[in-house]
Amino acid sequence: MHARHIMSSPVTTVTATTPIDECLRIVEESGYTVLPVVDEEHHLVGIVSEGDLLREKFRTLPRPGSDIAETMTSPVIAMTPDTDVSSLASAMLRSGLRGIPIVHDRDVIGIVTRRDLLGILTMDDTHIAHEVQHRLDVYAGSPRWTVTVTEGEVAIAGLRGDDPERGVVEALAETVPGVADVQFVQT
């Protein structure tokens, strides 16, 4: 599974001149614990966490009207949409980050947070089966295949070995968080 499968998108970003108070309001309203900081071309230049914002806001000598240019972390760890989820998790654990921006050509296209990773870990087989079945039914326009899941292993029945849709069906199933493998069973 890759970052693109679990990232939140679109992502809320701020600029280096965004006031601290505005960033705190965005964090409170959005529920995000980190905000990517972008420049005028919308390229990633840093990141600011709720902890950074709170520390700055409650300094013993607060600076009125301060913005996040001095508070943000830069350079920032960012990854691509094709980054494996295990690499994202490792980077978060090693660095203590709460979120990692996902970029394409320096443009922020999403973010993966600890909450996103927890979502994968808490997906049980019933939820996985429901989500895979739903995606396949939407694709097909009606229920054409049967899905069962055991410990994250998806088994899809009702598809011939030479069916030209086999690759699409497999790709749709693989994009569901919590899917470890996809197999086709003959009925």
Side-chain angles (χ1 to χ4, degrees), residues 32-107:
Y32 289 118
T33 57
V34 294
L35 298 172
V37 182
V38 297
D39 63 14
E40 299 79 29
E41 288 87 36
H42 301 286
H43 293 159
L44 183 65
V45 296
I47 195 162
V48 65
S49 72
E50 64 185 357
D52 298 332
L53 295 168
L54 290 170
R55 269 189 298 282
E56 183 64 25
K57 186 67 179 172
F58 292 109
R59 291 173 67 110
T60 52
L61 298 172
R63 296 173 298 194
S66 60
D67 55 37
I68 62 170
E70 297 172 18
T71 305
M72 71 180 186
T73 300
S74 184
V76 60
I77 295 173
M79 299 195 176
T80 68
D82 294 324
T83 302
D84 188 79
V85 170
S86 62
S87 296
L88 283 164
S90 293
M92 280 188 197
L93 290 171
R94 279 193 318 272
S95 63
L97 296 173
R98 296 177 87 53
I100 295 180
I102 305 303
V103 297
H104 176 71
D105 294 333
R106 292 187 54 212
D107 293 329

Side-chain angles (χ1 to χ4, degrees), residues 3-182:
R4 72 176 165 278
H5 299 132
I6 65 166
M7 70 182 187
S8 299
S9 182
V11 62
T12 302
T13 60
V14 295
T15 67
T17 59
T18 304
I20 299 285
D21 289 339
E22 175 69 8
C23 290
L24 285 167
R25 185 191 62 73
I26 292 168
V27 165
E28 195 274 324
E29 289 177 2
S30 70
Y32 289 118
T33 57
V34 294
L35 298 172
V37 182
V38 297
D39 63 14
E40 299 79 29
E41 288 87 36
H42 301 286
H43 293 159
L44 183 65
V45 296
I47 195 162
V48 65
S49 72
E50 64 185 357
D52 298 332
L53 295 168
L54 290 170
R55 269 189 298 282
E56 183 64 25
K57 186 67 179 172
F58 292 109
R59 291 173 67 110
T60 52
L61 298 172
R63 296 173 298 194
S66 60
D67 55 37
I68 62 170
E70 297 172 18
T71 305
M72 71 180 186
T73 300
S74 184
V76 60
I77 295 173
M79 299 195 176
T80 68
D82 294 324
T83 302
D84 188 79
V85 170
S86 62
S87 296
L88 283 164
S90 293
M92 280 188 197
L93 290 171
R94 279 193 318 272
S95 63
L97 296 173
R98 296 177 87 53
I100 295 180
I102 305 303
V103 297
H104 176 71
D105 294 333
R106 292 187 54 212
D107 293 329
V108 180
I109 61 169
I111 192 163
V112 174
T113 64
R114 289 181 182 180
R115 180 172 286 152
D116 297 322
L117 293 175
L118 285 172
I120 294 170
L121 297 174
T122 58
M123 283 290 280
D124 65 11
D125 288 343
T126 302
H127 287 97
I128 293 169
H130 175 75
E131 185 60 27
V132 171
Q133 189 70 60
H134 174 72
R135 290 180 188 198
L136 296 181
D137 293 349
V138 168
Y139 167 74
S142 65
R144 289 176 47 195
W145 305 290
T146 305
V147 174
T148 56
V149 179
T150 305
E151 295 181 16
E153 304 281 330
V154 176
I156 301 172
L159 203 65
R160 294 183 329 272
D162 61 346
D163 194 311
E165 293 181 297
R166 190 178 181 113
V168 173
V169 168
E170 184 175 14
L172 286 170
E174 287 176 339
T175 63
V176 174
V179 170
D181 190 36
V182 177

